[in-house]
Amino acid sequence: MSSHATGTATQRIFIDKQSPKAYHALVQTSEAVRATAADAGLDRTVVELINLRVSQINGCAYCLNVHTRAALRAGETAQRLGVLAAWRDTELFTPAERAALALAEATTEPTDAAQETAWAGARDVLTDDQISAVIWVAIAINAFNRVSIMSKHPVRTER
């Protein structure tokens, strides 16, 4: 019976639980992306900054919660996390981090102008392998953001 017929048309399902094979494939992709980033020499903190910035743009509370904790575990500072949404307006991020963030934003909200600017900045400070890894990290977290947003995964109070 459809959810429409039962009066639960707006009730969400956790699509990761509903379709575990598809979700497992996404997790495997994420693991490959993480290895690609490491092989390209991207520090774990850069990967987490990308995960967080993309999740900010997409408004994914669940992923913001998960990746804030991961960034802190990786050695990121509370100060940099606090200003990440305004990274262009601070001097707290290195040229390589700034290039990675711009490229991640251009991957998340692709406009021709943003892409051209991001590519130009990335070419100055990142290798081709790092550029590819940054884009893959942004693609992967965008996918996870969609899973969590559409499922309305809850953010629970930490104890």
Side-chain angles (χ1 to χ4, degrees):
M1 181 181 294
S2 78
S3 61
H4 232 21
T6 62
T8 60
T10 60
Q11 183 178 350
R12 303 289 176 104
I13 57 170
F14 288 176
I15 65 170
D16 48 329
K17 305 289 188 248
Q18 189 68 32
S19 305
K21 286 182 185 177
Y23 183 73
H24 182 69
L26 183 57
V27 169
Q28 286 182 312
T29 298
S30 178
E31 290 168 357
V33 167
R34 189 175 306 123
T36 297
D39 291 347
L42 287 181
D43 189 77
R44 185 68 191 177
T45 57
V46 174
V47 170
E48 293 305 335
L49 289 173
I50 293 166
N51 288 334
L52 285 165
R53 185 63 192 122
V54 169
S55 297
Q56 287 174 338
I57 292 166
N58 290 328
C60 183
Y62 184 83
C63 292
L64 284 166
N65 186 52
V66 167
H67 291 286
T68 295
R69 290 192 324 259
L72 291 168
R73 279 192 311 272
E76 190 51 78
T77 67
Q79 180 188 25
R80 285 173 26 118
L81 293 178
V83 300
L84 181 58
W87 63 268
R88 285 181 177 84
D89 300 325
T90 88
E91 298 299 319
L92 296 178
F93 300 94
T94 68
E97 291 167 337
R98 296 169 80 77
L101 290 167
L103 200 52
E105 288 179 356
T107 302
T108 302
E109 297 182 317
T111 65
D112 288 341
Q115 287 181 42
E116 292 307 315
T117 301
W119 274 99
R123 284 269 178 224
D124 291 341
V125 293
L126 300 174
T127 67
D128 287 354
D129 285 345
Q130 290 171 330
I131 289 169
S132 180
V134 164
I135 293 168
W136 276 110
V137 170
I139 289 168
I141 192 62
N142 268 292
F144 279 105
N145 286 170
R146 287 347 181 245
V147 169
S148 290
I149 290 167
M150 292 307 295
S151 298
K152 286 218 176 267
H153 286 152
V155 176
R156 292 184 171 57
T157 302
E158 294 178 14
R159 299 185 193 262

